[in-house]
Amino acid sequence: MQSESFAASVFEGRLHPLTIAFGLLKAARGIIPALPLLLFGNKIYGFVLLLAVPASTIATALARYFSFTYRIEGNELITQQGILGRKQRSIPLERIQEIRVEQGVLHRVFDVVDAKIETGGGEGAEASLSVLSRSEVERLRQAVFERASKIKADAGVGAPEGQI
């Protein structure tokens, strides 16, 4: 019976809807290199670039928002993304050392953050959850570390002897 409760998803989430707005901002920045070509070069190539760069960036942002999910299932944090090709990453909860929060200027304006999942022995962030509300990150952090401590307690893994 207990193994069934570990297999069930205990936490599920999606990216914040502002993911799309941040994608639009990225598209606007992508237009800047095409402007000189439009103004001083071949107008047709410039116009095509002016349409293609933002359209592809917007499509990517929409795909990321609608296809990216994360959940805690069993002993793992699982992220899934992609429409045509699904990518799934499973991170054991006991390996998660930190959920780092990064917040740029625009993130502060809208009160959202980027969360980086860091593990022991990993180089850089193991997973990146961009554009989440601060409360969602705190809920995720609490769920991850509570679940990890419960897993360690159930396995009989405690602090090493001699530690205070």
Side-chain angles (χ1 to χ4, degrees):
M1 190 72 153
Q2 187 176 3
S3 63
E4 287 177 22
S5 66
F6 270 139
S9 180
V10 295
F11 185 92
E12 293 185 25
R14 299 185 65 86
L15 298 177
H16 196 280
L18 281 172
T19 301
I20 299 168
F22 278 81
L24 293 174
L25 178 65
K26 189 176 181 181
R29 287 186 297 189
I31 292 173
I32 294 170
L35 286 178
L37 186 59
L38 180 66
L39 296 174
F40 305 113
N42 188 326
K43 303 254 187 251
I44 293 173
Y45 290 134
F47 187 69
V48 168
L49 277 176
L50 193 63
L51 291 178
V53 170
S56 64
T57 308
I58 291 168
T60 302
L62 287 170
R64 179 162 171 79
Y65 173 69
F66 286 113
S67 71
F68 191 94
T69 61
Y70 56 94
R71 68 184 182 278
I72 296 173
E73 191 172 288
N75 298 345
E76 299 176 324
L77 173 65
I78 300 170
T79 63
Q80 282 187 318
Q81 65 182 357
I83 294 175
L84 298 176
R86 296 288 286 172
K87 292 181 186 175
Q88 179 173 318
R89 172 173 229 121
S90 300
I91 306 166
L93 294 176
E94 355 12 282
R95 283 190 45 221
I96 296 176
Q97 300 290 316
E98 180 182 7
I99 299 177
R100 186 169 34 101
V101 173
E102 295 178 356
Q103 192 175 39
V105 175
L106 276 177
H107 288 84
R108 287 187 196 115
V109 170
F110 294 107
D111 196 31
V112 293
V113 298
D114 288 346
K116 310 288 184 191
I117 311 296
E118 296 185 356
T119 60
E123 227 177 273
E126 190 81 19
S128 179
L129 309 174
S130 57
V131 193
L132 293 174
S133 67
R134 185 172 286 284
S135 60
E136 182 70 5
V137 171
E138 291 306 318
R139 244 176 31 97
L140 175 64
R141 180 180 281 148
Q142 182 179 2
V144 164
F145 292 122
E146 280 180 5
R147 184 72 169 189
S149 65
K150 183 177 180 186
I151 291 166
K152 288 176 184 176
D154 288 349
V157 176
E161 290 183 25
Q163 262 191 345
I164 297 177

